[in-house]
Amino acid sequence: MIAQASLLVLLVRLVERVPEPPPTPRRRGSPTFYADRLFLKALVVMIVRRIHSVSGLLAVLEQPSPEMQVLRECFTREGRFPCRRTWERRLKALPTTLPARIACLGRHLVTLIEPWADCGRAAAIDSTILRARGGVWHHKHREAGVVPHTSIDTEAHWTKSGWHGWVYGWKLHLISTVAAVWIPLAAELTAANTADNEAAETLLRELPAEVRFVLGDQQYNAPNVRERCEPRGCMVVASLPGKYPHRDAGVEVRRLFHQLRSRAIENFNGQFKGIFEVYGQVPTKGLVNTQRFVLGAVFLYQLALLYRFEHGLDLRVGLKAFLKAA
C-alpha cells in the first residue's frame, strides 16, 4: 500500500532504530506492558501533524485511511491497543525521559555524521524564549494570587530579554554543535525565570566526550558552569561582563568564538522556531504539555537529520518542507 511508504510511517518506524538511553531503576509494581518507545512513536505523529491532545491523536488514528491503519499497527502489541487512560498517563510521563533521549540520539548522530571531522570540537549553549499561550499573568496579579482570565497559563513565568524586553513564557535551553551541521546535543524546557547557568548544569552532563569547547554568552560565564566543564577536559568560552569594547589580552579570541557561537546556536534557534512555528505563542498550556511539545520537536528534528543522513539528503536545507510533507 502507498501508506506503508509514507514519510510519516517511515519516521515512526525509524524510532525503532534509535538508541535507548541507559535504563533507570525500575519502580515498584507491575512491569509496564507497553514500552516507552511506543509512546515516543505516537509523539512523532503528534508533532508532525500538530496534534496537542490525546483525544486529537486518537481521533486521527481512528480514521479509516490506509496510512492510519499502518500507524495503528505500530501502536499495537500482541493484538492490544492502549486504552485512552493509558495514553493519557504515559504521554504525561514522557517529558521526563525526553532530555535523556535527546542526548542519547545526539551522541549517536555525532558518531554517524562526524560534524567535527574538519573543524574544532566546539558546542554552543544558549536559551531561547518561547511565549506562553493565552494572556499574560502580570506581577501584581501573581503576587495577589488572582488569575484574571482563564486563558492565562499560570505555570509559565516572566523573563527580560535584551532583544524582546519582558516576555511571559518558557525557555528552551539547548546545546548544539558548532559545525556545518547543527545537531542538538542536549535540551531542557523550563519556565522563563530559570537562570541560564542553573539549567546549564543539567545540559552539560549530557555532552559527548568529544566536545572540547563550550561557547556561551555572558550568562554562562559562571563558576558552576566552569566547575561542570573542567573535569571533562572542556573549556568554557563566554562573554565578559562590562561595557564594550573590552581591552584585555583575550578579547580577539573571544570575539572569534562569539561569532562562531552566534552563527551556530542563534541560527539553529531561528530555524527551529520557523520549522515548528513557535515564533509566536506555543500551542500548548502547562509545563508538562509544553515540555512534551517542545522537547518532542527537538527529538523530531534529530530524527529528521538521521533519516536524511541515511538517504544522502541535505542536513541544513529543506527540513521544514520535509517535515511538512510528512
Side-chain angles (χ1 to χ4, degrees), residues 287-310:
L287 177 62
V288 171
N289 290 337
T290 307
Q291 284 177 327
R292 186 174 64 209
F293 166 67
V294 176
L295 297 179
V298 174
F299 180 83
L300 178 59
Y301 184 98
Q302 292 178 314
L303 199 67
L305 289 182
L306 177 58
Y307 180 93
R308 290 174 72 84
F309 173 77
E310 292 182 346

PDB file of all heavy atoms in Angstrom, residues 287-310:
ATOM      1  N   LEU A 287       3.250  23.172  31.992  1.00  0.00           N
ATOM      2  CA  LEU A 287       4.645  22.791  31.839  1.00  0.00           C
ATOM      3  C   LEU A 287       4.795  21.441  31.149  1.00  0.00           C
ATOM      4  O   LEU A 287       5.587  21.293  30.212  1.00  0.00           O
ATOM      5  CB  LEU A 287       5.325  22.755  33.213  1.00  0.00           C
ATOM      6  CG  LEU A 287       6.789  22.299  33.225  1.00  0.00           C
ATOM      7  CD1 LEU A 287       7.656  23.237  32.408  1.00  0.00           C
ATOM      8  CD2 LEU A 287       7.309  22.206  34.651  1.00  0.00           C
ATOM      9  N   VAL A 288       4.048  20.427  31.583  1.00  0.00           N
ATOM     10  CA  VAL A 288       4.203  19.083  31.026  1.00  0.00           C
ATOM     11  C   VAL A 288       3.853  19.061  29.549  1.00  0.00           C
ATOM     12  O   VAL A 288       4.595  18.519  28.718  1.00  0.00           O
ATOM     13  CB  VAL A 288       3.348  18.074  31.817  1.00  0.00           C
ATOM     14  CG1 VAL A 288       3.323  16.716  31.101  1.00  0.00           C
ATOM     15  CG2 VAL A 288       3.884  17.901  33.231  1.00  0.00           C
ATOM     16  N   ASN A 289       2.723  19.656  29.194  1.00  0.00           N
ATOM     17  CA  ASN A 289       2.303  19.659  27.788  1.00  0.00           C
ATOM     18  C   ASN A 289       3.293  20.436  26.918  1.00  0.00           C
ATOM     19  O   ASN A 289       3.579  20.037  25.780  1.00  0.00           O
ATOM     20  CB  ASN A 289       0.905  20.258  27.649  1.00  0.00           C
ATOM     21  CG  ASN A 289      -0.169  19.364  28.216  1.00  0.00           C
ATOM     22  OD1 ASN A 289       0.019  18.152  28.328  1.00  0.00           O
ATOM     23  ND2 ASN A 289      -1.291  19.946  28.597  1.00  0.00           N
ATOM     24  N   THR A 290       3.816  21.539  27.433  1.00  0.00           N
ATOM     25  CA  THR A 290       4.759  22.337  26.654  1.00  0.00           C
ATOM     26  C   THR A 290       6.101  21.635  26.542  1.00  0.00           C
ATOM     27  O   THR A 290       6.750  21.680  25.492  1.00  0.00           O
ATOM     28  CB  THR A 290       4.912  23.733  27.276  1.00  0.00           C
ATOM     29  OG1 THR A 290       3.609  24.324  27.433  1.00  0.00           O
ATOM     30  CG2 THR A 290       5.746  24.644  26.384  1.00  0.00           C
ATOM     31  N   GLN A 291       6.536  20.975  27.600  1.00  0.00           N
ATOM     32  CA  GLN A 291       7.756  20.175  27.509  1.00  0.00           C
ATOM     33  C   GLN A 291       7.599  19.075  26.471  1.00  0.00           C
ATOM     34  O   GLN A 291       8.506  18.813  25.673  1.00  0.00           O
ATOM     35  CB  GLN A 291       8.094  19.555  28.869  1.00  0.00           C
ATOM     36  CG  GLN A 291       8.687  20.527  29.878  1.00  0.00           C
ATOM     37  CD  GLN A 291       8.935  19.867  31.211  1.00  0.00           C
ATOM     38  OE1 GLN A 291       8.185  18.972  31.624  1.00  0.00           O
ATOM     39  NE2 GLN A 291       9.960  20.302  31.911  1.00  0.00           N
ATOM     40  N   ARG A 292       6.457  18.412  26.480  1.00  0.00           N
ATOM     41  CA  ARG A 292       6.230  17.323  25.517  1.00  0.00           C
ATOM     42  C   ARG A 292       6.277  17.842  24.091  1.00  0.00           C
ATOM     43  O   ARG A 292       6.875  17.222  23.209  1.00  0.00           O
ATOM     44  CB  ARG A 292       4.881  16.659  25.797  1.00  0.00           C
ATOM     45  CG  ARG A 292       4.612  15.421  24.942  1.00  0.00           C
ATOM     46  CD  ARG A 292       3.345  14.741  25.379  1.00  0.00           C
ATOM     47  NE  ARG A 292       2.181  15.596  25.180  1.00  0.00           N
ATOM     48  CZ  ARG A 292       1.074  15.540  25.920  1.00  0.00           C
ATOM     49  NH1 ARG A 292       0.987  14.685  26.920  1.00  0.00           N
ATOM     50  NH2 ARG A 292       0.062  16.359  25.679  1.00  0.00           N
ATOM     51  N   PHE A 293       5.671  18.991  23.854  1.00  0.00           N
ATOM     52  CA  PHE A 293       5.665  19.551  22.502  1.00  0.00           C
ATOM     53  C   PHE A 293       7.053  20.037  22.091  1.00  0.00           C
ATOM     54  O   PHE A 293       7.558  19.668  21.019  1.00  0.00           O
ATOM     55  CB  PHE A 293       4.658  20.701  22.414  1.00  0.00           C
ATOM     56  CG  PHE A 293       4.825  21.549  21.189  1.00  0.00           C
ATOM     57  CD1 PHE A 293       4.563  21.047  19.929  1.00  0.00           C
ATOM     58  CD2 PHE A 293       5.278  22.861  21.296  1.00  0.00           C
ATOM     59  CE1 PHE A 293       4.741  21.819  18.795  1.00  0.00           C
ATOM     60  CE2 PHE A 293       5.462  23.642  20.172  1.00  0.00           C
ATOM     61  CZ  PHE A 293       5.186  23.119  18.914  1.00  0.00           C
ATOM     62  N   VAL A 294       7.697  20.857  22.918  1.00  0.00           N
ATOM     63  CA  VAL A 294       8.961  21.485  22.518  1.00  0.00           C
ATOM     64  C   VAL A 294      10.089  20.463  22.469  1.00  0.00           C
ATOM     65  O   VAL A 294      10.840  20.383  21.486  1.00  0.00           O
ATOM     66  CB  VAL A 294       9.306  22.651  23.459  1.00  0.00           C
ATOM     67  CG1 VAL A 294      10.663  23.241  23.101  1.00  0.00           C
ATOM     68  CG2 VAL A 294       8.230  23.732  23.384  1.00  0.00           C
ATOM     69  N   LEU A 295      10.237  19.658  23.516  1.00  0.00           N
ATOM     70  CA  LEU A 295      11.296  18.649  23.514  1.00  0.00           C
ATOM     71  C   LEU A 295      11.010  17.568  22.474  1.00  0.00           C
ATOM     72  O   LEU A 295      11.937  17.023  21.867  1.00  0.00           O
ATOM     73  CB  LEU A 295      11.452  18.039  24.907  1.00  0.00           C
ATOM     74  CG  LEU A 295      11.885  19.015  26.001  1.00  0.00           C
ATOM     75  CD1 LEU A 295      11.993  18.298  27.353  1.00  0.00           C
ATOM     76  CD2 LEU A 295      13.209  19.695  25.654  1.00  0.00           C
ATOM     77  N   GLY A 296       9.731  17.275  22.266  1.00  0.00           N
ATOM     78  CA  GLY A 296       9.377  16.345  21.193  1.00  0.00           C
ATOM     79  C   GLY A 296       9.768  16.891  19.834  1.00  0.00           C
ATOM     80  O   GLY A 296      10.194  16.142  18.941  1.00  0.00           O
ATOM     81  N   ALA A 297       9.647  18.207  19.657  1.00  0.00           N
ATOM     82  CA  ALA A 297      10.059  18.827  18.395  1.00  0.00           C
ATOM     83  C   ALA A 297      11.569  18.739  18.207  1.00  0.00           C
ATOM     84  O   ALA A 297      12.060  18.516  17.096  1.00  0.00           O
ATOM     85  CB  ALA A 297       9.591  20.279  18.360  1.00  0.00           C
ATOM     86  N   VAL A 298      12.336  18.908  19.295  1.00  0.00           N
ATOM     87  CA  VAL A 298      13.801  18.759  19.205  1.00  0.00           C
ATOM     88  C   VAL A 298      14.147  17.319  18.813  1.00  0.00           C
ATOM     89  O   VAL A 298      15.006  17.082  17.945  1.00  0.00           O
ATOM     90  CB  VAL A 298      14.476  19.127  20.543  1.00  0.00           C
ATOM     91  CG1 VAL A 298      15.975  18.835  20.480  1.00  0.00           C
ATOM     92  CG2 VAL A 298      14.241  20.594  20.875  1.00  0.00           C
ATOM     93  N   PHE A 299      13.479  16.346  19.426  1.00  0.00           N
ATOM     94  CA  PHE A 299      13.714  14.944  19.079  1.00  0.00           C
ATOM     95  C   PHE A 299      13.355  14.676  17.617  1.00  0.00           C
ATOM     96  O   PHE A 299      14.083  13.970  16.904  1.00  0.00           O
ATOM     97  CB  PHE A 299      12.899  14.037  20.001  1.00  0.00           C
ATOM     98  CG  PHE A 299      13.073  12.573  19.723  1.00  0.00           C
ATOM     99  CD1 PHE A 299      14.148  11.877  20.245  1.00  0.00           C
ATOM    100  CD2 PHE A 299      12.167  11.890  18.930  1.00  0.00           C
ATOM    101  CE1 PHE A 299      14.317  10.524  19.987  1.00  0.00           C
ATOM    102  CE2 PHE A 299      12.331  10.542  18.660  1.00  0.00           C
ATOM    103  CZ  PHE A 299      13.406   9.854  19.186  1.00  0.00           C
ATOM    104  N   LEU A 300      12.242  15.227  17.158  1.00  0.00           N
ATOM    105  CA  LEU A 300      11.844  15.041  15.762  1.00  0.00           C
ATOM    106  C   LEU A 300      12.857  15.674  14.814  1.00  0.00           C
ATOM    107  O   LEU A 300      13.150  15.117  13.750  1.00  0.00           O
ATOM    108  CB  LEU A 300      10.451  15.637  15.535  1.00  0.00           C
ATOM    109  CG  LEU A 300       9.914  15.561  14.101  1.00  0.00           C
ATOM    110  CD1 LEU A 300       9.834  14.122  13.617  1.00  0.00           C
ATOM    111  CD2 LEU A 300       8.538  16.234  14.010  1.00  0.00           C
ATOM    112  N   TYR A 301      13.404  16.825  15.173  1.00  0.00           N
ATOM    113  CA  TYR A 301      14.453  17.446  14.359  1.00  0.00           C
ATOM    114  C   TYR A 301      15.642  16.497  14.230  1.00  0.00           C
ATOM    115  O   TYR A 301      16.193  16.301  13.140  1.00  0.00           O
ATOM    116  CB  TYR A 301      14.878  18.762  15.014  1.00  0.00           C
ATOM    117  CG  TYR A 301      15.892  19.563  14.230  1.00  0.00           C
ATOM    118  CD1 TYR A 301      15.498  20.615  13.409  1.00  0.00           C
ATOM    119  CD2 TYR A 301      17.253  19.277  14.318  1.00  0.00           C
ATOM    120  CE1 TYR A 301      16.431  21.352  12.696  1.00  0.00           C
ATOM    121  CE2 TYR A 301      18.191  20.013  13.610  1.00  0.00           C
ATOM    122  CZ  TYR A 301      17.773  21.055  12.801  1.00  0.00           C
ATOM    123  OH  TYR A 301      18.703  21.778  12.088  1.00  0.00           O
ATOM    124  N   GLN A 302      16.045  15.894  15.348  1.00  0.00           N
ATOM    125  CA  GLN A 302      17.143  14.927  15.303  1.00  0.00           C
ATOM    126  C   GLN A 302      16.784  13.730  14.428  1.00  0.00           C
ATOM    127  O   GLN A 302      17.614  13.227  13.656  1.00  0.00           O
ATOM    128  CB  GLN A 302      17.476  14.440  16.713  1.00  0.00           C
ATOM    129  CG  GLN A 302      18.087  15.478  17.639  1.00  0.00           C
ATOM    130  CD  GLN A 302      18.320  14.904  19.021  1.00  0.00           C
ATOM    131  OE1 GLN A 302      17.445  14.243  19.591  1.00  0.00           O
ATOM    132  NE2 GLN A 302      19.488  15.145  19.574  1.00  0.00           N
ATOM    133  N   LEU A 303      15.542  13.260  14.564  1.00  0.00           N
ATOM    134  CA  LEU A 303      15.096  12.108  13.783  1.00  0.00           C
ATOM    135  C   LEU A 303      15.128  12.430  12.292  1.00  0.00           C
ATOM    136  O   LEU A 303      15.506  11.582  11.464  1.00  0.00           O
ATOM    137  CB  LEU A 303      13.682  11.712  14.219  1.00  0.00           C
ATOM    138  CG  LEU A 303      13.208  10.297  13.869  1.00  0.00           C
ATOM    139  CD1 LEU A 303      14.013   9.259  14.632  1.00  0.00           C
ATOM    140  CD2 LEU A 303      11.722  10.149  14.180  1.00  0.00           C
ATOM    141  N   ALA A 304      14.745  13.660  11.936  1.00  0.00           N
ATOM    142  CA  ALA A 304      14.796  14.081  10.534  1.00  0.00           C
ATOM    143  C   ALA A 304      16.243  14.107  10.038  1.00  0.00           C
ATOM    144  O   ALA A 304      16.523  13.714   8.896  1.00  0.00           O
ATOM    145  CB  ALA A 304      14.153  15.456  10.381  1.00  0.00           C
ATOM    146  N   LEU A 305      17.181  14.572  10.883  1.00  0.00           N
ATOM    147  CA  LEU A 305      18.591  14.539  10.500  1.00  0.00           C
ATOM    148  C   LEU A 305      19.053  13.103  10.238  1.00  0.00           C
ATOM    149  O   LEU A 305      19.772  12.832   9.265  1.00  0.00           O
ATOM    150  CB  LEU A 305      19.454  15.159  11.593  1.00  0.00           C
ATOM    151  CG  LEU A 305      19.389  16.671  11.801  1.00  0.00           C
ATOM    152  CD1 LEU A 305      20.349  17.086  12.908  1.00  0.00           C
ATOM    153  CD2 LEU A 305      19.713  17.427  10.526  1.00  0.00           C
ATOM    154  N   LEU A 306      18.649  12.183  11.103  1.00  0.00           N
ATOM    155  CA  LEU A 306      19.042  10.785  10.938  1.00  0.00           C
ATOM    156  C   LEU A 306      18.496  10.219   9.634  1.00  0.00           C
ATOM    157  O   LEU A 306      19.232   9.566   8.878  1.00  0.00           O
ATOM    158  CB  LEU A 306      18.539   9.961  12.130  1.00  0.00           C
ATOM    159  CG  LEU A 306      18.812   8.458  12.087  1.00  0.00           C
ATOM    160  CD1 LEU A 306      20.301   8.167  11.980  1.00  0.00           C
ATOM    161  CD2 LEU A 306      18.205   7.774  13.320  1.00  0.00           C
ATOM    162  N   TYR A 307      17.229  10.476   9.354  1.00  0.00           N
ATOM    163  CA  TYR A 307      16.620   9.982   8.112  1.00  0.00           C
ATOM    164  C   TYR A 307      17.317  10.560   6.887  1.00  0.00           C
ATOM    165  O   TYR A 307      17.666   9.839   5.944  1.00  0.00           O
ATOM    166  CB  TYR A 307      15.133  10.336   8.092  1.00  0.00           C
ATOM    167  CG  TYR A 307      14.409   9.869   6.848  1.00  0.00           C
ATOM    168  CD1 TYR A 307      13.751   8.641   6.813  1.00  0.00           C
ATOM    169  CD2 TYR A 307      14.384  10.657   5.688  1.00  0.00           C
ATOM    170  CE1 TYR A 307      13.097   8.210   5.663  1.00  0.00           C
ATOM    171  CE2 TYR A 307      13.747  10.230   4.543  1.00  0.00           C
ATOM    172  CZ  TYR A 307      13.100   9.012   4.539  1.00  0.00           C
ATOM    173  OH  TYR A 307      12.470   8.587   3.394  1.00  0.00           O
ATOM    174  N   ARG A 308      17.536  11.854   6.898  1.00  0.00           N
ATOM    175  CA  ARG A 308      18.131  12.499   5.728  1.00  0.00           C
ATOM    176  C   ARG A 308      19.605  12.102   5.555  1.00  0.00           C
ATOM    177  O   ARG A 308      20.084  11.998   4.422  1.00  0.00           O
ATOM    178  CB  ARG A 308      17.972  14.026   5.847  1.00  0.00           C
ATOM    179  CG  ARG A 308      16.510  14.463   5.692  1.00  0.00           C
ATOM    180  CD  ARG A 308      16.339  15.938   5.964  1.00  0.00           C
ATOM    181  NE  ARG A 308      16.891  16.771   4.898  1.00  0.00           N
ATOM    182  CZ  ARG A 308      16.257  17.089   3.782  1.00  0.00           C
ATOM    183  NH1 ARG A 308      15.031  16.639   3.562  1.00  0.00           N
ATOM    184  NH2 ARG A 308      16.829  17.872   2.878  1.00  0.00           N
ATOM    185  N   PHE A 309      20.310  11.857   6.651  1.00  0.00           N
ATOM    186  CA  PHE A 309      21.679  11.372   6.532  1.00  0.00           C
ATOM    187  C   PHE A 309      21.702   9.991   5.884  1.00  0.00           C
ATOM    188  O   PHE A 309      22.528   9.723   4.996  1.00  0.00           O
ATOM    189  CB  PHE A 309      22.336  11.319   7.912  1.00  0.00           C
ATOM    190  CG  PHE A 309      23.690  10.675   7.910  1.00  0.00           C
ATOM    191  CD1 PHE A 309      24.808  11.361   7.459  1.00  0.00           C
ATOM    192  CD2 PHE A 309      23.852   9.363   8.359  1.00  0.00           C
ATOM    193  CE1 PHE A 309      26.070  10.757   7.436  1.00  0.00           C
ATOM    194  CE2 PHE A 309      25.097   8.757   8.352  1.00  0.00           C
ATOM    195  CZ  PHE A 309      26.207   9.461   7.889  1.00  0.00           C
ATOM    196  N   GLU A 310      20.805   9.116   6.320  1.00  0.00           N
ATOM    197  CA  GLU A 310      20.775   7.759   5.772  1.00  0.00           C
ATOM    198  C   GLU A 310      20.380   7.737   4.302  1.00  0.00           C
ATOM    199  O   GLU A 310      20.737   6.799   3.574  1.00  0.00           O
ATOM    200  CB  GLU A 310      19.811   6.891   6.579  1.00  0.00           C
ATOM    201  CG  GLU A 310      20.271   6.609   7.999  1.00  0.00           C
ATOM    202  CD  GLU A 310      19.332   5.702   8.758  1.00  0.00           C
ATOM    203  OE1 GLU A 310      18.183   5.493   8.297  1.00  0.00           O
ATOM    204  OE2 GLU A 310      19.737   5.212   9.828  1.00  0.00           O
TER     205      GLU A 310
END
